[in-house]
Every structure is written in structure tokens, then in C-alpha cells.
Amino acid sequence: MSTASYCPNTPEEVREMLAAMGAASIDDLFQPIPPGLRARSFDLPAGMSEFEMLRRFEHLAGKNAQHLAHFVGGGYYDHLIPAVVDHLSGRAEFYTAYTPYQPECSQGTLQALFEYQTAICRLTGMEVSNASLYDGGTALAEAAMMALRITGRNRLVIDGAVNPFHREVVRTYLANLDVELVEIGPKLGMEDDLRLRAAIDDATAAVLVQNPNFFGSVSDFRKLAADAHAAGALLVVSAYPVALGLIESPGAMGADVVVGDGQSLGNPLSFGGPSFGFIASRKEYIRNLPGRIIGETVDKKGQRGFVLTLQAREQHIKRHKATSNICSNQSLCALRGLIFLSSLGAQGFAELARLNYDKAEYAKKVLGSLSGVEVMNGGATFNEFTVCLPTIAEEVVTALLRKGVAAGVPLSPYYPEMERCMVVTVTEKRTREEIDTLARHLEGILCS
């Protein structure tokens, strides 16, 4: 069987192209690059046939642990994906579409993004949404940048219970700016916002929080929103979208900007990506939203149509006035989110959220009844909760992996003082048998 070449051009075609350019060899094309900066090798293996390549990747994939009972969350979640999501998002009209600059030939993509924006607004309780961002972390950082532009201030307060990866993205965005980022350390088991409210002053541009937070706790941010607004600051809430099928929207709590990661809306777990971020705000801040916004209009015949309305990107306006260079690489993931939400409908989405809540409550009760295991969350939680063990959590998680259970996320890498704690996640896919198995193995390890 013949092997595939990494180069699609035949030697004759290469010679013809070089002759047309007046070059004697491929190396001549790289002459402007100093020899020390040229790639010496691309370290590519020999070409393979299709059969050999598939066998190679099946072998590599086989090294992954299979058939684990999955209780790991912390930002990416193991949710069911209806078959219709793969089917519709895989249609060529969507799958191959790029940035819809030309409305006369992009109405399908433009309408899908418009409907996506509508769905995000309804989900978050906000008035306007853009057509998606890269992921939840960048969405939070873009919201922080929005707050700085809107208020003209240079101080941000961020809750230490916000996803550590997302806080790192925010720190990276702000690293070279004259901005003070005040991180308020979390106090596990004390789900109040008094310390956040006390940190607000007249230089604060925004307070950044997450609901449910990284430990799984659900909060009511009405008082925090009121205090922030009284000081002239904004409230930015990062939300877990599935939770919004059950808990009150951030908009109803007084949030000014709402962000989040859309992986749990119809996008599979795949080593942390790809995903999409969503961002929505009050209408008065629409010109500060990053990326692009799809608008609805009518043509000269009065027919309904969709167009790119606001796109304050550096390629369209003066660079120093651009809000972001976010492009179209996540639109297909956002489309999957729209199909997911549309296929479930409002009632189905609420039922999904309820199922997540009920199963996690059962797991919380079962694990909390084990000797030496303490559930640390002081109030309500949504499909995640934090348990404290009598020994180091990372060692327990490793021991449970050997028994076929991915038990949770140990907290010590992110909060060194919490080395005995881990976050346990229970989605609608976890069965009662799996939860009981987790409890039985955990009890056995702790008693051994």
C-alpha cells in the first residue's frame, strides 16, 4: 500500500512553481531568513498509509484510562450531548463557514449567530450578547477590560473562589497594564460576600465573582451588586450555564456583565478544548463588548435579514480603539451550544439542571455520611461540592483511580492550605450505582 506524502505537490509541480518564481530550489525561498533562525528539522516521521495511521492513533488513544466513573469537573463537565448536535453542526453549510463578512451569501451563519446571542441573553438575564469568545477564561478577562474602559478606573477586585485557571488568564491580560488586581482569598465553608463588599472603594472598576464558585457553592449577589453600584463599580459574574436552568440569572441579581464557558452546552470533553466563551451585558455597554455582534435588519424589499453590526476589531477601526482581535475560531462550538439549547427547550433545560442538582445532592449526602469525610460548603451547591478528608486528597484520588473511579479535583495545586480537600462533580450522566461505588471505595481507602 502506498504511503501518503505530507506535501500534496508532485516533484514536477514543484519544479514548475520554482521556475515561475525564478528560484533554483526550495531553500532559495528562505534566503531572507538568517541561517541560524531557519528550522533545521520538522521532526516528522516517515509517511504512513491510512490504515497504518489509524492503527497508530488507536494505539495512542488506548493508553488513556477507559471506562472510569467520572466525578471530575472544575470548569469542564461530562454532560450528555444529544445526537442532533453532532448531526446539525456537521453539515457542510456550518462546518466549513468562515467569518460571515458577506451577508448576501452568509445568511444561514448570521442567523445562527443571531439566535445564539438571543439564547445567551435569555440564559444570563442580560440585554445584549456578542457572537462568542474563545473560552470562559478569556471571556472573564475581556469583561475585566470592559469594566476598565467603561469606568475609567484602574482597580479590580476578584474573588479567590473564581476558577484558578480563569484568574490566571485575567492576570495575564493585565500583566503589562497599570491596573491593580486585588484577589480576595476564599474562606472555605463561609459562603458570604462580606469581604468582597469591604474591598470595594471609589477606585474600583469592577468586582469579579463566579456562580457557582470553584468549590460548587451558589451565592446570591444582590447585596454585592448594590454595594458595587453605590461605589460606581460594575459587577461581573462568571456563570456555569447549566446551573442557570435552576438558579436565578446573574442579570436578575444585578450583574452588569455575565460571562462563562460554553463547553457544557453540547461540546465534548477533549483535553480541555475546544470550547467557546460567552459574554453578555446591559445594553448601555454594547459598544464596549469585544468581538462582533450580529444584528437583525430588513433589505430594500423589506425582507428580514442579518448582518455584522458591531465589530470593534483592530482590522476595522483604529488599533488603539479596538476592543479585541477575537475572531471566528469558536463559532462552530457556539453553534453547538445553540443547537443544544434549542433541542432541549426551556423545560428540558430546567429538567437537566434539576437532574444535576438532585444527583449531586444524593452524592453529597452519601459521602458526607462517611466517617472522617466533611462536606465544606456552608449553603446551596450545584452539581459540585467540596469534601475535606482525614488525609491528603491527592493521594486518595490516585488510589481511587486504580479502582476505576476519577473521584474529583484535589485543591492543593491551587490552594496549598487545602491539601485535604477535593471538589466532587456529579452530572446527569452519573448513576446511583457509580455514586455508591465511589462512596464504598472511598470508605475502604480511608479505613485501610
Side-chain angles (χ1 to χ4, degrees):
M1 185 178 292
S2 64
T3 58
S5 168
Y6 289 104
C7 179
N9 306 111
T10 66
E12 181 58 30
E13 288 171 332
V14 172
R15 280 193 292 272
E16 289 178 8
M17 286 189 284
L18 289 172
M21 290 184 287
S25 68
I26 295 289
D27 289 340
D28 285 352
L29 303 179
F30 297 96
Q31 285 301 319
I33 302 175
L37 299 179
R38 296 179 203 167
R40 294 179 177 81
S41 169
F42 293 105
D43 195 23
L44 294 175
M48 297 181 184
S49 68
E50 181 178 354
F51 168 76
E52 290 170 325
M53 183 185 67
L54 287 173
R55 188 171 59 182
R56 167 69 174 158
F57 279 102
E58 286 170 356
H59 171 72
L60 291 174
K63 292 183 177 181
N64 292 324
Q66 305 288 326
H67 310 301
L68 292 174
H70 196 285
F71 294 91
V72 177
Y76 287 86
Y77 300 96
D78 184 27
H79 288 293
L80 284 168
I81 299 176
V84 68
V85 176
D86 286 336
H87 178 72
L88 291 180
S89 64
R91 289 181 62 92
E93 303 93 307
F94 290 125
Y95 203 75
T96 62
Y98 188 58
T99 299
Y101 286 124
Q102 295 174 281
E104 63 273 16
C105 61
S106 304
Q107 281 301 292
T109 300
L110 287 164
Q111 181 173 355
L113 292 174
F114 181 83
E115 301 292 353
Y116 160 84
Q117 293 171 179
T118 304
I120 292 299
C121 286
R122 291 179 179 173
L123 199 62
T124 58
M126 291 281 102
E127 295 170 317
V128 294
S129 162
N130 80 353
S132 82
L133 293 171
Y134 186 70
D135 61 15
T138 55
L140 183 62
E142 292 285 358
M145 300 296 286
M146 279 182 68
L148 297 172
R149 289 193 297 269
I150 292 168
T151 64
R153 299 176 176 182
N154 68 344
R155 184 174 184 270
L156 295 165
V157 175
I158 188 168
D159 186 4
V162 170
N163 188 310
F165 302 109
H166 295 181
R167 281 187 283 123
E168 183 63 31
V169 175
V170 173
R171 284 194 290 268
T172 301
Y173 263 62
L174 302 177
N176 296 310
L177 300 178
D178 181 23
V179 176
E180 180 189 8
L181 181 63
V182 180
E183 297 196 37
I184 306 299
K187 197 170 183 179
L188 197 51
M190 299 285 288
E191 274 68 51
D192 65 64
D193 54 16
L194 290 176
R195 290 180 301 155
L196 287 168
R197 291 159 60 190
I200 301 171
D201 63 19
D202 57 8
T204 303
V207 182
L208 282 60
V209 295
Q210 180 175 313
N211 202 28
N213 66 23
F214 192 67
F215 308 114
S217 294
V218 175
S219 300
D220 184 340
F221 289 123
R222 285 182 176 81
K223 292 180 180 177
L224 180 63
D227 284 2
H229 294 159
L234 305 184
L235 177 65
V236 176
V237 177
S238 176
Y240 175 20
V242 175
L244 298 179
L246 187 63
I247 68 176
E248 195 154 31
S249 73
M253 293 185 189
D256 300 286
V257 185
V258 182
V259 300
D261 194 289
Q263 177 272 324
S264 50
L265 304 178
N267 285 275
L269 289 169
S270 182
F271 297 95
S275 180
F276 73 92
F278 60 84
I279 184 168
S281 74
R282 302 199 180 283
K283 189 175 181 179
E284 62 190 288
Y285 306 133
I286 190 170
R287 289 190 175 276
N288 278 285
L289 274 173
R292 60 195 180 188
I293 298 169
I294 311 302
E296 181 183 25
T297 186
V298 292
D299 63 15
K300 63 182 180 182
K301 297 179 181 178
Q303 297 172 323
R304 186 189 188 210
F306 303 92
V307 293
L308 281 172
T309 302
L310 294 174
Q311 41 183 331
R313 300 160 62 185
E314 80 289 345
Q315 67 206 75
H316 300 128
I317 63 174
K318 293 180 180 177
R319 186 177 183 85
H320 65 282
K321 290 188 175 182
T323 55
S324 171
N325 66 353
I326 294 296
C327 196
S328 56
N329 59 330
Q330 65 292 107
S331 287
L332 189 66
C333 296
L335 173 69
R336 292 178 65 92
L338 172 65
I339 298 170
F340 178 89
L341 290 168
S342 302
S343 63
L344 266 65
Q347 182 177 341
F349 192 64
E351 291 173 357
L352 172 69
R354 186 76 203 187
L355 198 55
N356 274 257
Y357 174 81
D358 288 344
K359 290 197 172 188
E361 288 299 298
Y362 173 74
K364 193 196 302 184
K365 180 180 177 182
V366 171
L367 297 186
S369 68
L370 301 180
S371 176
V373 178
E374 183 180 2
V375 177
M376 300 304 295
N377 307 83
T381 61
F382 180 83
N383 98 343
E384 279 181 301
F385 55 92
T386 300
V387 294
C388 192
L389 309 174
T391 186
I392 297 174
E394 202 156 358
E395 295 175 354
V396 173
V397 168
T398 301
L400 284 167
L401 276 174
R402 289 194 285 268
K403 296 182 178 297
V405 180
V409 177
L411 289 178
S412 58
Y414 321 108
Y415 306 93
E417 71 279 13
M418 300 181 191
E419 67 173 4
R420 293 191 296 115
C421 299
M422 66 177 182
V423 176
V424 179
T425 302
V426 185
T427 70
E428 76 282 357
K429 289 179 69 174
R430 300 286 70 81
T431 65
R432 181 169 183 159
E433 181 183 10
E434 288 175 325
I435 296 170
D436 292 342
T437 298
L438 165 63
R440 186 174 67 255
H441 287 319
L442 177 59
E443 184 175 38
I445 289 170
L446 295 180
C447 294
S448 63

